[in-house]
């Protein structure tokens, strides 16, 4: 049996998966095997919505970098964004809004 992983990482991995990140991208960010992440997705019966019109981009910032980024209103308009905590860093996930 493998080592027990804090449920925090399971939740973060599933959130990132639902936002459109690949198993390998999540592995690089959280330091958890992509095979383990795939198993969590299957175990929790997570079905990712189709993301055919976009692929999210993400950046990881420390607190001061995030504050500086958010000061520029131009960077905040025209796209959806989510900020999530990753230990002592923050991840900003961003995607362009769908256009009619």
């Amino acid at each position: 049996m493998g080592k027990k992983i804090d449920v925090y990482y399971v939740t973060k991995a599933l959130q990132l998966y639902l936002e459109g990140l690949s198993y390998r991208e999540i592995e690089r960010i959280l330091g958890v095997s992509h095979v383990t992440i795939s198993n969590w997705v299957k175990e929790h019966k997570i079905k990712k919505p189709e993301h055919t019109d976009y692929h999210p981009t993400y950046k990881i910032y420390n607190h001061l970098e995030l504050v500086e980024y958010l000061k520029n209103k131009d960077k905040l308009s025209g796209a959806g964004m989510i900020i999530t905590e990753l230990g002592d860093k923050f991840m900003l996930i961003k995607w362009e809004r769908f256009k009619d």
Side-chain angles (χ1 to χ4, degrees), residues 24-96:
R24 292 209 185 257
E25 287 173 311
I26 299 167
E27 175 182 51
R28 284 190 294 274
I29 293 163
L30 296 181
V32 175
S33 161
H34 65 277
V35 174
T36 299
I37 296 163
S38 172
N39 289 337
W40 292 340
V41 168
K42 290 174 192 162
E43 176 186 335
H44 293 279
K45 298 176 178 60
I46 302 294
K47 181 161 173 28
K48 183 169 27 175
E50 290 297 319
H51 291 289
T52 56
D53 295 344
Y54 71 93
H55 180 78
T57 58
Y58 62 89
K59 294 199 187 253
I60 298 175
Y61 296 107
N62 67 32
H63 179 256
L64 292 176
E65 292 167 333
L66 181 62
V67 169
E68 278 303 310
Y69 182 88
L70 294 174
K71 282 182 182 179
N72 185 344
K73 187 169 181 352
D74 292 339
K75 292 180 180 178
L76 303 180
S77 61
M81 260 187 255
I82 291 178
I83 299 171
T84 188
E85 178 194 14
L86 291 173
D88 65 343
K89 302 260 191 282
F90 299 90
M91 171 185 264
L92 184 138
I93 304 168
K94 182 177 180 181
W95 59 94
E96 297 299 317

